[in-house]
Amino acid sequence: MDNGALHTQNRAERSPALRKAGEFRSYRRRWFILSVACLLNCSNSMQWLTFAPVADLTAEGLHVSLDQVNWLSLVYMVVAIPLSLISTWMLDTLGLRLTLILGSWLNMVGSVMRVVGVLSFVPGWALFPVVMAGQTLGAVAQPLVIFSPTKLAALWFPDNQRATANMIASMSNPLGLLFANILSPLIISKTSNLFILLLTYAIPAIVVCFLATVGIRESVPPTPPSAGAETSSSEPFFQGIKLLMKNKAYLILLVCFGSGIAIFTCFFTLLEQILCIKGYTNDFAGVCGALFIVFGVIGAAFLGLFVDKTKKFTEATKINICLTSLACTAFAVVTQMRDQKALIGVVCALFGLFGFSIYPVSMELSVECSYPVGEATSAGLIFISGYTV
């Protein structure tokens, strides 16, 4: 029997009272909570990558160097390392509702602070520190929102929809990166105005903060949708970490997928600089980032549906990791060439198709192979490994 199917069966066997009584129910409001989590993930990732596609023009507007502009993106990784354990503890102990609402407020305040930082009355020396402070608040919010998909899928969705729900919520993060890759060069090329750029990203942050605060009223449904949801987070936080450190299958996934997260983070942060040094434009770098994400989302949609039906999490993960390694190697080679736009575009598309599509499946696999550890804990440690590689 496949590992995913085996662990799903084990969850049911450990909740015999509910399984025999058939007291499982799915609520329609799960789709609203999923939509809010998607919008929040999308908004936060847009703020993360706001400046990377237009790094040179941002440096000019804020009167700083390119290295300082890179820190506007890198701060997300630096802040995530110490705060990730706190975020996973909050999700598994304090619940989904409080964590998402807190994340939405931090995300909103950070986005507004970035807008304030480029207003005309702010002195030139204060532009970068104020914008960096806003970025830092967004970075604090990131672990709170990016770890939520596995928890949300496990608590609110039946077993036959969990991988799909996880895929939808997880792919909202790269969709935000896609919008940033497209909108940042477009807005800057049309207006050359950082205020308009940052205001554009602040509006969805304000909207999703309102929706999360008003619309999310409970962390768990009154009746669980599955046996897995009924037994979710059965292990205490620190005991769960100890179990994970002794779980060989989980540790292998931690190293492999954590390395993948590190590679993808570097890809998005430095893509514009990698390509521009070879004579390619900001717009072309944005197109390459968009191809990576679009094909990744398409691949994730098909792969999510496939593993939901077959439960072949392990096989799908192994095959895609091998193909991703080949695509990554090809990307490293072709980006050293000049005047090869078509080839670079194809490689970026394949890189996304094989690499990003495995993201939600790996998150779900981390939950399945680490049961009975809490979902946020198992997913959170993988992200921590990616940020520390």
Side-chain angles (χ1 to χ4, degrees):
M1 182 180 295
D2 181 79
N3 287 344
L6 177 61
H7 286 289
T8 300
Q9 182 186 60
N10 287 342
R11 288 171 181 246
E13 289 173 352
R14 296 189 187 197
S15 183
L18 277 177
R19 180 168 53 85
K20 291 179 180 178
E23 297 178 0
F24 300 136
R25 180 182 173 187
S26 298
Y27 294 84
R28 284 184 295 178
R29 62 179 175 274
R30 71 188 187 277
W31 297 108
F32 171 79
I33 300 174
L34 178 64
S35 299
V36 171
C38 289
L39 290 173
L40 184 54
N41 267 285
C42 186
S43 172
N44 186 259
S45 63
M46 284 195 298
Q47 293 192 60
W48 169 30
L49 211 69
T50 299
F51 304 104
V54 288
D56 49 350
L57 298 176
T58 300
E60 181 181 338
L62 296 180
H63 313 300
V64 294
S65 66
L66 278 176
D67 286 339
Q68 289 174 292
V69 172
N70 287 339
W71 275 106
L72 292 172
S73 300
L74 293 174
V75 68
Y76 272 68
M77 286 159 275
V78 174
V79 169
I81 294 171
L83 292 184
S84 290
L85 285 178
I86 298 174
S87 300
T88 57
W89 174 82
M90 286 188 64
L91 270 168
D92 284 335
T93 306
L94 301 182
L96 185 67
R97 176 179 181 270
L98 178 62
T99 305
L100 284 178
I101 291 176
L102 177 59
S104 69
W105 274 92
L106 288 169
N107 186 64
M108 184 271 291
V109 173
S111 67
V112 172
M113 185 175 292
R114 298 193 316 167
V115 175
V116 173
V118 296
L119 292 177
S120 58
F121 64 81
V122 178
W125 62 266
L127 291 174
F128 182 76
V130 176
V131 173
M132 175 60 84
Q135 282 290 101
T136 304
L137 285 179
V140 173
Q142 187 191 48
L144 299 174
V145 302
I146 205 171
F147 298 163
S148 63
T150 52
K151 192 73 174 178
L152 173 59
L155 291 177
W156 284 88
F157 287 82
D159 287 336
N160 66 331
Q161 294 180 353
R162 276 180 53 186
T164 301
N166 201 2
M167 178 272 296
I168 293 172
S170 297
M171 284 297 99
S172 62
N173 188 274
L175 276 178
L177 303 180
L178 169 64
F179 294 146
N181 270 291
I182 294 175
L183 290 176
S184 289
L186 180 63
I187 293 173
I188 288 296
S189 65
K190 297 292 185 182
T191 66
S192 300
N193 192 321
L194 282 176
F195 173 78
I196 300 297
L197 175 68
L198 299 181
L199 182 63
T200 301
Y201 290 134
I203 292 173
I206 295 170
V207 171
V208 74
C209 181
F210 172 79
L211 292 175
T213 304
V214 174
I216 302 179
R217 300 182 179 180
E218 51 198 355
S219 294
V220 296
T223 303
S226 67
E230 195 271 338
T231 58
S232 179
S233 302
S234 57
E235 290 293 328
F237 178 71
F238 290 106
Q239 179 62 26
I241 292 179
K242 291 180 181 179
L243 289 176
L244 291 177
M245 293 301 101
K246 298 177 182 178
N247 187 328
K248 182 179 178 181
Y250 178 82
L251 291 176
I252 292 173
L253 185 65
L254 182 79
V255 173
C256 295
F257 192 59
S259 300
I261 291 176
I263 292 171
F264 296 147
T265 301
C266 292
F267 176 88
F268 283 116
T269 302
L270 302 175
L271 179 62
E272 185 254 2
Q273 295 171 58
I274 291 172
L275 293 178
C276 287
I277 199 173
K278 293 297 181 180
Y280 299 102
T281 64
N282 285 348
D283 290 339
F284 177 70
V287 169
C288 288
L291 286 172
F292 180 92
I293 297 167
V294 168
F295 277 84
V297 171
I298 293 172
F302 284 103
L303 200 59
L305 294 173
F306 172 76
V307 297
D308 248 348
K309 299 294 183 182
T310 64
K311 304 300 180 185
K312 294 185 180 295
F313 294 97
T314 305
E315 292 84 348
T317 302
K318 289 179 179 179
I319 293 172
N320 271 44
I321 285 179
C322 292
L323 294 173
T324 301
S325 299
L326 295 175
C328 183
T329 303
F331 175 79
V333 173
V334 299
T335 51
Q336 301 304 309
M337 305 175 183
R338 296 180 181 271
D339 302 320
Q340 296 292 332
K341 287 186 176 181
L343 184 58
I344 292 176
V346 169
V347 170
C348 287
L350 292 176
F351 196 11
L353 180 65
F354 299 134
F356 233 111
S357 62
I358 202 63
Y359 170 54
V361 176
S362 295
M363 289 293 96
E364 187 65 23
L365 180 59
S366 73
V367 173
E368 295 294 344
C369 75
S370 62
Y371 179 81
V373 179
E375 296 83 6
T377 302
S378 58
L381 286 183
I382 290 179
F383 277 100
I384 294 173
S385 71
Y387 292 147
T388 54
V389 170

